[in-house]
Amino acid sequence: MSQQYSRRFILAGLMSGSAVLAQAGAPETSLFPPVKPKNFAKSVANPTERIVAGAGFSGDVGFVVADATTGEILESRNAGLAMPPASVAKAITALYALQALGLGYEFSTRLVATGPISNGILNGDLVLLGGGDPTLNTDALAVLAQGLKNAGVREVTGDFLVHSAVLPYVRSIDKEQPDHLGYNPAVSGLNLNFNRVHFEWKRANSGYSVAMDARSDKYRPEVHMAKMVVKKRATPIYTYADGKDSEQWTVASGALGDGGSRWLPVRKPELYAADVFSTMARSQGIKLGKERATATLPKGSVVAQVQSEKLQLIVRDMLKYSTNITAEVIGLSATRGRGISPRNLATSGAKMSSWAGPALGMNTAKFVDHSGLSGDSRVPASEMVSALVAAKPNGALHGLMKNIVLKSPDGKKLNNAPATVRAKTGTLNFVSALAGYITLPNGRVLAFAIFTADLKKRTQIGKSERERPAGGRAWAQNSRKMQQELLQGWARTYAS
């Protein structure tokens, strides 16, 4: 592990957070006034070096901590080493989406009638029109079904169409992940329950009873398009196959125990949403036509619609819960909002990369998606801090980030914490990242990024082992322990 320490200043000044969020597109020219030099920071060689040397995990460590207002770099190590940002990439996606779409942007999901409604009968097709809402759930579909009833519809003579072409279809966020991981679903312009289906099992007299449903706060409708069969085997635990109009799962009986549940990813989101909406419509006494996907936007009149929360709140929850599909959808929507129709996640990630150069001072950063789930994205700690300084300590991003609890070595919350920290975490196998803001008792705010990775170990993991690779948990725990020690050390050092 290299041990390179340096002090320097961000000489390229950074845009204000209000400018980042207010403009409709990337700036035409760079707005980077030089930062005035100050006295060098306190020596980094003693406490920080001891923390890194004693961290007890393999791989590389890169970090930068800077004054969030002036951009003055206080300490750094391997600052220019490009490393996987993992879910820290979501912080950049948040800035990208908020700047393109606005804090108050809302996603709409509509029901469109292509013909007239007379005596309770819709003489035409009914279209479930996806608007890209990453938070659409079963409760919202129930509201749409009630709205359809309120519009006087009891029967549809034509087909029941589903349209999701507002965003490109992506079968899975990261194709290198195992099929059964719920955090790696499909992405499209029509997404339901984060494109996950709930699988539940219980031991029965002759084996197991299983259920697949689209549960939400109020409802648990059975899902017909996703089917599960229990197989008498030990491994593999899950198998998946695409059916023509269904998703076919099997699970090993040897892994089930007496009972349990988990969320599984959905690969056919249009079919999933149509399945669940049909159930909600039937509960309102509405008879629908045959389900059919369409890539052509049908013409007609809106008979019911639901709106998402404002983008600001969606981003807050994305940063808190690190929902991958939310990041991908708002990133794709931001690219589309800039007048570009992305073909896939890679082209949209490349657009975000090119935007982040002039907007955030991230001139070498490479994003291949918007969630950070792929390990192929690369960001140097110096450029992550540059972006945080550009966003400003009083900007929208700071307030939307998750509060990070400072803990003692035994894992307990510090009663007299030396600072408050709001940041974004990121974890992949043998990758751990943390970036955000440290607010000191005297009101000074620091921006920091800590990236750690053992890419050699990461590349040695087989696909079937990627949910829980050997040694991965202990490695991540040691990285997080080091992050805590660095944060607390910086807080105490720079509070004065």
Side-chain angles (χ1 to χ4, degrees), residues 256-467:
L256 295 182
D258 290 330
S261 65
R262 74 173 293 161
W263 291 93
L264 294 171
V266 168
R267 305 289 177 215
K268 298 177 181 289
E270 289 178 333
L271 190 60
Y272 179 45
D275 184 345
V276 177
F277 181 78
S278 294
T279 299
M280 296 294 100
R282 283 195 298 272
S283 72
Q284 296 290 343
I286 302 171
K287 181 180 179 182
L288 297 182
K290 180 177 175 57
E291 301 166 4
R292 180 166 61 84
T294 178
T296 303
L297 182 63
K299 295 181 179 180
S301 58
V302 176
V303 293
Q305 67 178 348
V306 290
Q307 304 288 119
S308 72
E309 290 186 308
K310 295 184 184 304
L311 183 60
Q312 182 177 11
L313 300 179
I314 293 174
V315 166
R316 180 199 63 189
D317 288 348
M318 175 194 72
L319 295 175
K320 180 178 180 179
Y321 300 110
S322 207
T323 42
N324 293 321
I325 188 172
T326 301
E328 303 301 353
V329 167
I330 69 171
L332 288 166
S333 298
T335 298
R336 184 174 180 270
R338 288 177 164 82
I340 299 170
S341 297
R343 299 188 306 275
N344 49 42
L345 295 182
T347 58
S348 189
K351 177 61 180 177
M352 186 169 79
S353 302
S354 63
W355 167 84
L360 303 176
M362 304 183 78
N363 297 312
T364 67
K366 172 190 173 185
F367 297 99
V368 301
D369 60 21
H370 297 289
S371 66
L373 184 57
S374 170
D376 293 333
S377 292
R378 292 290 184 272
V379 177
S382 60
E383 294 189 9
M384 188 67 217
V385 167
S386 176
L388 294 169
V389 176
K392 291 294 182 182
N394 61 348
L397 181 64
H398 188 176
L400 296 174
M401 283 182 150
K402 178 181 177 180
N403 182 57
I404 303 297
V405 176
L406 294 180
K407 300 178 180 180
S408 61
D410 60 2
K412 296 181 179 179
K413 180 180 178 180
L414 286 177
N415 293 325
N416 298 307
T420 58
V421 179
R422 299 188 73 87
K424 182 69 193 81
T425 59
T427 304
L428 297 171
N429 291 327
F430 296 104
V431 172
S432 182
L434 184 68
Y437 299 95
I438 306 169
T439 302
L440 304 176
N442 62 7
R444 187 184 190 187
V445 182
L446 309 180
F448 74 92
I450 307 169
F451 292 155
T452 62
D454 188 332
L455 297 183
K456 182 178 179 180
K457 283 188 176 180
R458 178 173 170 77
T459 58
Q460 293 172 345
I461 304 169
K463 186 172 182 177
S464 63
E465 305 171 295
R466 288 176 186 169
E467 186 171 11

Side-chain angles (χ1 to χ4, degrees), residues 114-313:
T114 65
I117 300 170
S118 178
N119 297 321
I121 298 175
L122 167 56
N123 293 293
D125 297 328
L126 180 69
V127 187
L128 177 59
L129 188 60
D133 185 357
T135 62
L136 186 73
N137 60 18
T138 298
D139 291 348
L141 292 190
V143 172
L144 278 177
Q146 180 65 57
L148 185 62
K149 181 180 180 181
N150 295 342
V153 176
R154 298 191 309 272
E155 183 179 348
V156 177
T157 60
D159 291 336
F160 172 39
L161 306 178
V162 285
H163 181 274
S164 66
V166 65
L167 295 178
Y169 169 74
V170 179
R171 186 182 182 276
S172 61
I173 298 171
D174 180 14
K175 64 182 181 180
E176 300 301 321
Q177 300 283 342
D179 286 335
H180 64 278
L181 299 182
Y183 56 73
N184 186 37
V187 181
S188 81
L190 180 60
N191 308 287
L192 179 65
N193 299 328
F194 303 106
N195 284 344
R196 301 178 308 168
V197 61
H198 190 262
F199 165 46
E200 187 172 16
W201 66 92
K202 294 180 181 178
R203 190 183 291 275
N205 293 334
S206 59
Y208 288 92
S209 62
V210 298
M212 303 285 269
D213 65 61
R215 63 182 56 194
S216 60
D217 291 341
K218 297 180 180 179
Y219 306 98
R220 293 188 179 183
E222 180 183 359
V223 173
H224 305 92
M225 53 76 65
K227 304 178 185 301
M228 178 65 74
V229 176
V230 179
K231 293 288 187 178
K232 190 174 182 179
R233 65 171 188 255
T235 58
I237 297 177
Y238 290 96
T239 68
Y240 172 84
D242 280 338
K244 181 180 179 181
D245 296 316
S246 64
E247 301 190 357
Q248 304 288 339
W249 290 93
T250 72
V251 62
S253 60
L256 295 182
D258 290 330
S261 65
R262 74 173 293 161
W263 291 93
L264 294 171
V266 168
R267 305 289 177 215
K268 298 177 181 289
E270 289 178 333
L271 190 60
Y272 179 45
D275 184 345
V276 177
F277 181 78
S278 294
T279 299
M280 296 294 100
R282 283 195 298 272
S283 72
Q284 296 290 343
I286 302 171
K287 181 180 179 182
L288 297 182
K290 180 177 175 57
E291 301 166 4
R292 180 166 61 84
T294 178
T296 303
L297 182 63
K299 295 181 179 180
S301 58
V302 176
V303 293
Q305 67 178 348
V306 290
Q307 304 288 119
S308 72
E309 290 186 308
K310 295 184 184 304
L311 183 60
Q312 182 177 11
L313 300 179

